[in-house]
C-alpha cells in the first residue's frame, strides 16, 4: 500500500490556461498536424512528431507519434522565444485544457481577463508556447494500446528517454518552424514536469537557455524519508487548533471502532462509503485512503476556490480543520464524525456526492500505472512516517519490500542510487539558469531546492504557497508572495534570453 | 571501404606509462580484485566492478564485470584527488601497459627517469590513478564471448552507457575506497577517450570536477566533411618539397600501371606485398591501404622515435617525404618506387618486415569491430575528399550508402543528428572546467575545440604536436609547446580541485 500511496501522491500537477488562438505553422519532415476541436473555447493546435522509441539503443529503431500543442498567438517570429512545457505523467491536453471549464463556472475566475502564468509570460515576451506530451501518457504511446501490456514494451518509459524526446523535438522545431531558428527556448514545468524542466537544462543546455522548475522535488530521492509527511502535518497544525493531533489520534480510534462488526457498519455509514467496510482487513485500505486525502489537501491548499483533483474551497485545510478542533476528552465516535465531515470538504464540496468512493482520490486524467512503473524503476522516493514528527501511523521505509512489490507488478526492480547519480544529487552547482520555486505549504518542498545554490541556480520560496501555485492562473486572492514570484521568474527569463543573444 | 577507413582512422590512441607500485585498497560490495601479473615490470592492481548492462532500461537487469586498474603509489589519502582515465575503444591494459616494453628498448626512453603525463601529474597532485575500461572492449564484455554475436547483445554498446559506467564506478569508488570520500575526480582521456572525458564532465559534473580532453574531436560530427583530410595533406605539404603533390599524383599512376597484368605484378613486387595483386579490382583496396597509411603517419608524426601502431623514426612524415621530392617529369614507375620506399618508413622501420600486408595497418589491441559498430550508430563522422584541397582521390560523403553498409553489417542504422543533440554540438558554453588540447599536426584537430569558449572551457593548441602528444611520455625531443601544455594542464587541475574544496 505504501507504494501505491507514494505513487499516487505524486500525481498532482498543474493547471494551465489554454484559451488562445489558432496557429498554422509550416512544419516539415517528421511532423503531422491535427487541429484540436475537442473544446470549443480552446484553440491551440495539436501536432504529432515522429519520435524514436529508443534514443539509447539502435536495435529498436521504431518511432511513435509524440503529441505536442502549439500556440503562437503572441509569438514574435524572428527572435521571439519559445516557452516549452515539459509534460509530466498525464494527458497533455488535460494540463492545457483543464483550466476550470470542466466543472462549471462557479468555482472559477473570469476567463476573459485572467490567464495562466505561461500565457501571460508569452504575451510579455512575445513567445511561442509549446506543450509537449511525455511518452507513455495521453496519446503518446510508443506501442499504441499495447504500450502497457508487458515489461518489454514498458522498457522505454524512463525520464532519460522523455528528456531526449524533448531535446529532439526542440531541435526539430527550431529547424523546421519558420522563424524559430534563433529562438531561445525556456523549459517550464511543475512537479515531476518541473524536475524534467530542470534536468532538461542540466543535460541539454544546448537546447534550452534556462528552466523554471516549479515545486520540483529533485532531491526527494535523497532527503530523509520522513520529511514529506512532516510538512503535511505542519500544514494541518498551523491551520486549526488540535487539527493535526486529532488526525493523529484518529487512527487508533478507527482501529478500536472497527474491531466489531457493529463498529464497521457505523464507520461506513458515518463516512457515507459507497462500498461499506465488511471486514477489519478492509480498514487498512480505508486508512490509506484517508492518509492520501490529507496529503492531497496539503498540496492543493490554495488561497481561492479551485478545482484541481476535486472542487475545493479557498484554503481547504483550514476548512477541514474547522471540523477537528476537539480536545482529548472527545469520544472515538465524536472524533471520527469530525473526520468524516472533514473528509467531505475534499470529496463533496459541491454537495453532489451521493457516497464516498475509497478507491479513488484524484482525477483519472493522470497516468497512474505509468507513474507507478516510474516509481518502480528510477523515481525511487523513500517515504516514511513515525507518528511523532508527523500525524500518521508509523510506517518505516522498506526498500526491499518495495522492490519485491515492483517485481511482482512489473517484473522489474528499482535502482535505488541511479537517480542521484544521473541527476547529480545535491551536487548540481556546475549547472546554471534554473529557477526552483517552492511553496512553503507544499509537502514536496521537502525534496525541493529551497536555497539558492549560485547566482543562476535560484531558489524562490512562496510564502503561503501550495503545490506550484506560481504556475496557476492569476487570482485576486493570490498572496503577494506569488505575484512577486511570477514577476521575478519572467525577469529571469528575460535575462537568460538576453544572455543567449550575446553568446550566440 | 570508406566506412572501414573512417572506423580505423579513429583507432589511434594514447600510450600511457604504468610503471608503478602495488595497491591493496579495501573495496566492498560490487568490487572484486585480481592482481595483475602479466607484465612483471608493471604493478597496478586490476579490479572488476559489477556494472549494469543497461543503465537506461530496467528489463535487462543483468550485470557484467567492468575492468579497471588502480595505482595509489602517490595517493595522499583523505583529500588526494583521483585522476580517472576514461577508457576508449581498446584493451585498457594496452593503454596502460604498452609503454614501449613490447617492442624492445631501442626505440624508447629510460623508464627509470621518464614517465607519462598522468603519472607525473599523480606525483605532483598526490593523486590516485584509475584506468577504467570501456564496455565491449578488452575484458569488459557485457555478454562474455557472445557480446559481439548479434545485434541484441551489441545494443548496449553506446557512449551514453559507457559514460554511465564511469559515473557509477566513480560513485562506488568514492563510497567504498577508504580515503576517497572527499576526493575530487578529474577525467582524463585522449581521442575518443578524450571525447568521453569531456562528455563525462558535461553530463555528470556531480562526479567529476573537470576534464582533460586531449585530441578529442567532439565536433567531428558537424564540421565540413573534408576538413580532416585537408589537415593530413597539409602535414605532408609542409614536410617536404612536392610531397603531397606526388602523393596526389600517385593514384592515377597506380591506375595506369595496374591496368595491365604485367603492371600489377610490377606493383606487387615493388611494394613487396605479401599477397600480390591479381586483378585490377584489388587495386581499390591497395589504394585504401595507402591512404590509411598516410593518415596514420600524420597522426603519429611525433618528434622522437616511437612505437604506437608501428615503430617509427622521429618526425616520420618528414622521413617519408624524403622519398617523394620528385618533380612532375618523373615516370609513373619512378613515382611509385618512391611511394613504396615512403610506405616502408611506416611498415618496415625496423627492417624486419619480410613483406607488406595490406590487410593490416595498426595494432590488434584496438577493438575494430566495436568502433565499427559505434560509427554505425552514434559516432557518425562524415568524411570526404575532393583531390583538390587534399591529396586523395575524390570521394564524397554518402550517408545513405554508409547507412546501408551498417545495416548489412549489424542490422542497425546510424542516426545522423543524435550526437549533436545529445552532446551539444557547438553550443557547449554552459559547461565548465574542460581543457581541450589539440596538436596542429593532428588531423583530428579538424573536429576539435581549438579556441577557448570561456574562462573554464579552455583550448590549448600544441604547435608541432601530433595526436594527443601531451598525454604521452616526456621526451628530451618534446617541443617547448607540449612541455608548457602539460604544466598548464596540471595548473588547471589544481584550480579545479581548489574550487571544488571551497564549494563542498
Amino acid at each position: 500500500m505504501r507504494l501505491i500511496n507514494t505513487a499516487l501522491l505524486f500525481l498532482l500537477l498543474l493547471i494551465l490556461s489554454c484559451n488562445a488562438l489558432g496557429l498554422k505553422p509550416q512544419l516539415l519532415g517528421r511532423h503531422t498536424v491535427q487541429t484540436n476541436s475537442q473544446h470549443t473555447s480552446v484553440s491551440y493546435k495539436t501536432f504529432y512528431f515522429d519520435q524514436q522509441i529508443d534514443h539509447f539503443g539502435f536495435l529498436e529503431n521504431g518511432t511513435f507519434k509524440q503529441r505536442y500543442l502549439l500556440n503562437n498567438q503572441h509569438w514574435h517570429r524572428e527572435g521571439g522565444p519559445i516557452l516549452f512545457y515539459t509534460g509530466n505523467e498525464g494527458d497533455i491536453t488535460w494540463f492545457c485544457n483543464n483550466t476550470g471549464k470542466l466543472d462549471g463556472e462557479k468555482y472559477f475566475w473570469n476567463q476573459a481577463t485572467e490567464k495562466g502564468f505561461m500565457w501571460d509570460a508569452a504575451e510579455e515576451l512575445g513567445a511561442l508556447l509549446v506543450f509537449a506530451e511525455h511518452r507513455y501518457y495521453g496519446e503518446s504511446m510508443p506501442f499504441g494500446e499495447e504500450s502497457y501490456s508487458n515489461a518489454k514494451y514498458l522498457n522505454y518509459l524512463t525520464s532519460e528517454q522523455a528528456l531526449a524526446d524533448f531535446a529532439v523535438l526542440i531541435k526539430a522545431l527550431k529547424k523546421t518552424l519558420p522563424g524559430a531558428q534563433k529562438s531561445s527556448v525556456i523549459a517550464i514545468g511543475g512537479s515531476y514536469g518541473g524536475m524534467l524542466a530542470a534536468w532538461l537544462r542540466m543535460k541539454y543546455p544546448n537546447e534550452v537557455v534556462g528552466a523554471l522548475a516549479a515545486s520540483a522535488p529533485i532531491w526527494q530521492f535523497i532527503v530523509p524519508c520522513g520529511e514529506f509527511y512532516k510538512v503535511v502535518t505542519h500544514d494541518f497544525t498551523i491551520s486549526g487548533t488540535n487539527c493535526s493531533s486529532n488526525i493523529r489520534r484518529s487512527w487508533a480510534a478507527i482501529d478500536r471502532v472497527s474491531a466489531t462488526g457493529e463498529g464497521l457498519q457505523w464507520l461506513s455509514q458515518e463516512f457515507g462509503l459507497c462500498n461499506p467496510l465488511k471486514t477489519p482487513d478492509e480498514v487498512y485500505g480505508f486508512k490509506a485512503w484517508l492518509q492520501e486525502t490529507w496529503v492531497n489537501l496539503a498540496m492543493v491548499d490554495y488561497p481561492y476556490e479551485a478545482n484541481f483533483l476535486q472542487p475545493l474551497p479557498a484554503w481547504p485545510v483550514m476548512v477541514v480543520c474547522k471540523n477537528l478542533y476537539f480536545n482529548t476528552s472527545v469520544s472515538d465516535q465524536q472524533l471520527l464524525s469530525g473526520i468524516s465531515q472533514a473528509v467531505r470538504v475534499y470529496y463533496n464540496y459541491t454537495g453532489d456526492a451521493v457516497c464516498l468512493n475509497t478507491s479513488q482520490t484524484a482525477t483519472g486524467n493522470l497516468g497512474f500505472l505509468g507513474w507507478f512503473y516510474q516509481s518502480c524503476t528510477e523515481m525511487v522516493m523513500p517515504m516514511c512516517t513515525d507518528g511523532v514528527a508527523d500525524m500518521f501511523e508509523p510506517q518505516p521505509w522498506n526498500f526491499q519490500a518495495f522492490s519485491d512489490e515492483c517485481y511482482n507488478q512489473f517484473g522489474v526492480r528499482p535502482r535505488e542510487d541511479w537517480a542521484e547519480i544521473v541527476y547529480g544529487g545535491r551536487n548540481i552547482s556546475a549547472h546554471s539558469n534554473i529557477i526552483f520555486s517552492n511553496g512553503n505549504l507544499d509537502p514536496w518542498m521537502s525534496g525541493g531546492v529551497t536555497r539558492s545554490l549560485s547566482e543562476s541556480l535560484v531558489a524562490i520560496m512562496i510564502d503561503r504557497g501550495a503545490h506550484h501555485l506560481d504556475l496557476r492562473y492569476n487570482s485576486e486572492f493570490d498572496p503577494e508572495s506569488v505575484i512577486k514570484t511570477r514577476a521575478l521568474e519572467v525577469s529571469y527569463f528575460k535575462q537568460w534570453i538576453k544572455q543567449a543573444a550575446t553568446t550566440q
Side-chain angles (χ1 to χ4, degrees), chain A residues 388-410:
Chain A
V388 180
D390 56 64
M391 65 186 189
F392 300 99
E393 290 192 289
Q395 187 155 10
W397 168 245
N398 183 337
F399 177 76
Q400 192 52 53
F402 174 72
S403 175
D404 291 345
E405 196 173 341
C406 291
Y407 191 75
N408 290 337
Q409 177 74 26
F410 297 112

Side-chain angles (χ1 to χ4, degrees), chain A residues 168-471:
Chain A
V168 169
L169 175 58
I170 289 169
K171 187 85 174 177
L173 284 173
K174 291 188 70 172
K175 199 170 175 183
T176 57
L177 204 61
Q181 280 65 39
K182 292 182 179 173
S183 293
S184 289
V185 182
I186 292 170
I188 299 179
S191 201
Y192 169 52
M195 296 161 79
L196 292 171
W199 294 338
L200 190 60
R201 171 63 188 170
M202 286 159 63
K203 295 295 185 181
Y204 298 87
N206 45 313
E207 302 299 345
V208 293
V209 301
L212 168 57
S215 295
I218 61 165
W219 290 341
Q220 206 74 51
F221 312 109
I222 48 176
V223 293
C225 59
E227 294 304 304
F228 180 90
Y229 284 99
K230 276 190 208 168
V231 181
V232 177
T233 302
H234 182 254
D235 288 357
F236 284 80
T237 301
I238 62 170
S239 296
T241 308
N242 296 334
C243 190
S244 64
S245 56
N246 275 314
I247 292 174
R248 186 183 289 111
R249 290 171 57 219
S250 72
W251 313 110
I254 292 169
D255 287 344
R256 285 189 293 269
V257 166
S258 65
T260 67
E262 200 181 16
L264 272 177
Q265 202 181 347
W266 177 85
L267 204 61
S268 302
Q269 220 156 22
E270 184 62 31
F271 278 80
L273 300 183
C274 304
N275 296 301
L277 302 170
K278 293 205 181 63
T279 67
D281 288 351
E282 292 174 4
V283 172
Y284 184 82
F286 173 72
K287 289 193 290 189
W289 170 74
L290 279 179
Q291 177 168 333
E292 206 171 296
T293 306
W294 307 137
V295 168
N296 287 358
L297 275 158
M299 268 189 278
V300 298
D301 197 17
Y302 295 125
Y304 42 68
E305 283 192 319
N307 179 3
F308 193 7
L309 305 180
Q310 299 283 349
L312 288 176
W315 299 118
V317 176
M318 208 179 287
V319 179
V320 159
C321 286
K322 283 186 181 149
N323 298 287
L324 295 169
Y325 57 87
F326 320 108
N327 63 27
T328 51
S329 66
V330 77
S331 72
D332 284 348
Q333 274 78 2
Q334 282 174 299
L335 174 60
L336 296 179
S337 284
I339 296 278
S340 87
Q341 290 309 310
V343 158
R344 281 188 172 81
V345 172
Y346 184 77
Y347 290 108
N348 195 20
Y349 180 53
T350 61
D352 297 337
V354 179
C355 58
L356 301 195
N357 181 357
T358 57
S359 68
Q360 203 171 353
T361 60
T363 172
N365 282 299
L366 291 164
F368 170 75
L369 198 61
W371 186 252
F372 191 177
Y373 179 84
Q374 291 194 255
S375 302
C376 272
T377 48
E378 297 178 300
M379 300 290 117
V380 186
M381 300 179 177
M383 293 278 176
C384 62
T385 47
D386 65 7
V388 180
D390 56 64
M391 65 186 189
F392 300 99
E393 290 192 289
Q395 187 155 10
W397 168 245
N398 183 337
F399 177 76
Q400 192 52 53
F402 174 72
S403 175
D404 291 345
E405 196 173 341
C406 291
Y407 191 75
N408 290 337
Q409 177 74 26
F410 297 112
V412 297
R413 289 189 181 278
R415 293 180 195 151
E416 208 169 3
D417 300 329
W418 174 241
E420 184 183 356
I421 294 172
V422 72
Y423 296 124
R426 292 203 182 268
N427 189 1
I428 58 171
S429 59
H431 302 286
S432 61
N433 293 6
I434 307 176
I435 303 166
F436 297 97
S437 62
N438 282 282
N440 66 357
L441 297 180
D442 179 17
W444 290 109
M445 79 155 195
S446 60
V449 180
T450 55
R451 286 193 312 178
S452 294
L453 301 172
S454 70
E455 272 187 23
S456 74
L457 292 178
V458 183
I460 305 179
M461 285 305 297
I462 305 171
D463 189 42
R464 305 283 283 159
H467 204 40
H468 46 58
L469 179 63
D470 47 337
L471 289 193

Side-chain angles (χ1 to χ4, degrees), chain A residues 16 34 44 67 72 89 109 259 274 292 418 426 481 491:
Chain A
L16 292 164
Q34 178 203 305
Y44 56 77
R67 181 166 56 165
N72 70 350
E89 71 281 28
W109 67 102
C274 304
E292 206 171 296
W418 174 241
R426 292 203 182 268
S481 60
S491 77

Side-chain angles (χ1 to χ4, degrees), chain A residues 111-144:
Chain A
Q111 283 200 5
T113 58
E114 291 175 341
K115 290 179 295 185
F117 169 76
M118 282 179 72
W119 305 82
D120 286 337
E123 191 168 352
E124 189 168 345
L125 301 169
L128 175 71
L129 288 173
V130 180
F131 295 81
E133 193 159 66
H134 190 298
R135 53 167 60 203
Y136 287 86
Y137 297 100
E139 291 186 1
S140 299
M141 292 294 168
F143 298 95

